[in-house]
Amino acid sequence: MTSFLDISTTTPEDLRVMIDTARAMKDARNGRPKGAPDDDLPLAGMMVALIFEKPSTRTRVSFDVGVRQMGGQTMVLSGKEMQLGHGETIADTARVLSRYVDLIMIRTFEEATLLEMAEYASVPVINGLTNRTHPCQIMADIMTYEEHRGPIAGRKVVWSGDGNNVCASFLQAAGQFGFDLTFTGPPTLDPEREWIDFARSKGVTVEIERDPAKAVAGADLVVTDTWVSMHDPESAKERRHNQLRPYQVNEELMAKAKPDALFMHCLPAHRNDEATSAVMDGPHSVIFDEAENRLHAQKAVMRWCLGK
């Protein structure tokens, strides 16, 4: 039994296996209807619990469809329905769910909830997102980049905006996949020092550059995310916009990256805030390939967790 809790806690070798598996599974489905099953049905007879304390579109749909394509069944549960951590301890919930299901995916607020679930569950647990990290998204992003441009090792990735949970997982991935990362954003929203140090400890270059034009020079990939996350208070909205407006990814900024640079955004996006529609719908953008690949990457993660 192996849980997928973070990119930093998974070996580079296993991460590469998952990426390669995801690409092979995607290729094998070429031309099939979305609801058609995979040939090998690796999750046949299995039940997967999908727990959502946070709202979701891509995570919910991609995991649900992925389990069904692999022959399994899903049980979608909301934290409110379960009174997760309120009416019953997370540890007891984990023990009970383990009697009913073969795999648990949880999308939650506090990292402590994920870790307690994994500690007490006797089945694998997958991090579908916490306030601190979002590893499934970055697995899809790595897959997407390599589909379009080949190996990401040695490339320059630039994160523009808020050093949030998605940025944290990108820093972890920089260390594990061997690419350099430059963060450009206001100092009050820098990514966690732990993840900067983690990436640097693996021998890659991590830089902080306050001037976004300088940051994106020579970039192979430019990434951003919403300026206000779903766990941020409403009072933060105007302050965040004022801080982050200079870091908007627009056509002028993308023109300073390499001519063949890609643009990514994990979605949902606030168009013309963190990125303009001209960039999101433009020739550099692979945001919808990125969204699709959540399905294939997560199928590979589930297979890895279950030894399938």
Side-chain angles (χ1 to χ4, degrees):
M1 185 195 78
T2 309
S3 291
F4 183 69
L5 304 181
D6 261 325
I7 289 174
S8 62
T9 57
T10 310
T11 68
E13 294 77 17
D14 284 337
L15 293 168
R16 176 50 59 188
V17 165
M18 286 183 251
I19 296 293
D20 292 345
T21 299
R23 293 190 66 176
M25 294 183 76
K26 181 178 181 178
D27 290 344
R29 290 195 59 84
N30 187 37
R32 294 192 185 195
K34 305 297 189 296
D38 293 343
D39 289 333
D40 52 354
L41 299 178
L43 267 61
M46 292 190 169
M47 177 65 74
V48 179
L50 306 177
I51 302 173
F52 294 93
E53 282 199 293
K54 285 191 172 187
S56 171
T57 299
R58 277 149 295 278
T59 300
R60 176 167 179 164
V61 175
S62 56
F63 268 106
D64 199 348
V65 171
V67 171
R68 295 177 192 223
Q69 287 181 351
M70 293 191 290
Q73 299 182 64
T74 59
M75 179 184 301
V76 180
L77 304 164
S78 75
K80 187 175 181 180
E81 288 173 337
M82 301 172 66
Q83 295 185 326
L84 188 65
H86 301 289
E88 180 175 54
T89 67
I90 294 162
D92 285 351
T93 298
R95 293 182 179 108
V96 170
L97 283 177
S98 298
R99 302 294 182 103
Y100 300 140
V101 304
D102 301 286
L103 178 66
I104 299 168
M105 187 288 301
I106 181 166
R107 180 180 172 92
T108 187
F109 291 91
E110 300 304 323
E111 184 183 54
T113 302
L114 167 76
L115 297 179
E116 187 173 350
M117 181 72 70
E119 180 179 356
Y120 290 97
S122 57
V123 299
V125 174
I126 294 173
N127 177 359
L129 175 142
T130 70
N131 288 354
R132 197 171 187 219
T133 60
H134 195 0
C136 286
Q137 177 64 54
I138 273 53
M139 293 297 285
D141 293 352
I142 301 299
M143 177 184 175
T144 304
Y145 183 87
E146 295 194 339
E147 277 184 336
H148 287 269
R149 297 290 185 264
I152 197 167
R155 305 287 186 151
K156 178 182 177 179
V157 175
V158 175
W159 180 279
S160 183
D162 179 9
N164 63 10
N165 51 356
V166 185
C167 180
S169 289
F170 246 114
L171 281 163
Q172 293 182 23
Q176 300 292 56
F177 286 95
F179 58 87
D180 299 329
L181 189 142
T182 297
F183 171 82
T184 186
T188 52
L189 297 175
D190 279 352
E192 283 188 50
R193 174 58 58 176
E194 179 179 346
W195 305 131
I196 294 173
D197 292 344
F198 173 83
R200 287 174 174 166
S201 74
K202 301 293 184 177
V204 301
T205 299
V206 177
E207 295 181 341
I208 294 179
E209 171 55 66
R210 301 300 176 199
D211 183 339
K214 292 180 180 177
V216 302
D220 297 287
L221 171 62
V222 178
V223 193
T224 192
D225 194 7
T226 179
W227 288 345
V228 182
S229 297
M230 61 183 71
H231 60 269
D232 291 326
E234 185 64 26
S235 59
K237 187 173 182 179
E238 184 176 353
R239 183 176 71 253
R240 287 291 186 91
H241 278 68
N242 290 337
Q243 288 179 298
L244 289 164
R245 197 164 284 112
Y247 300 95
Q248 181 191 70
V249 181
N250 49 40
E251 289 176 293
E252 181 181 0
L253 189 65
M254 283 301 302
K256 298 182 186 302
K258 286 184 177 178
D260 65 344
L262 298 180
F263 169 76
M264 290 188 185
H265 187 307
C266 66
L267 304 178
H270 296 90
R271 284 174 174 260
N272 299 313
D273 281 348
E274 65 268 15
T276 61
S277 288
V279 169
M280 294 183 66
D281 299 327
H284 299 281
S285 177
V286 290
I287 60 174
F288 296 113
D289 291 343
E290 186 185 359
E292 178 191 345
N293 283 338
R294 288 290 302 277
L295 168 66
H296 308 294
Q298 289 161 185
K299 286 170 70 175
V301 169
M302 287 188 278
R303 290 190 72 154
W304 175 80
C305 287
L306 293 165
K308 297 291 184 176

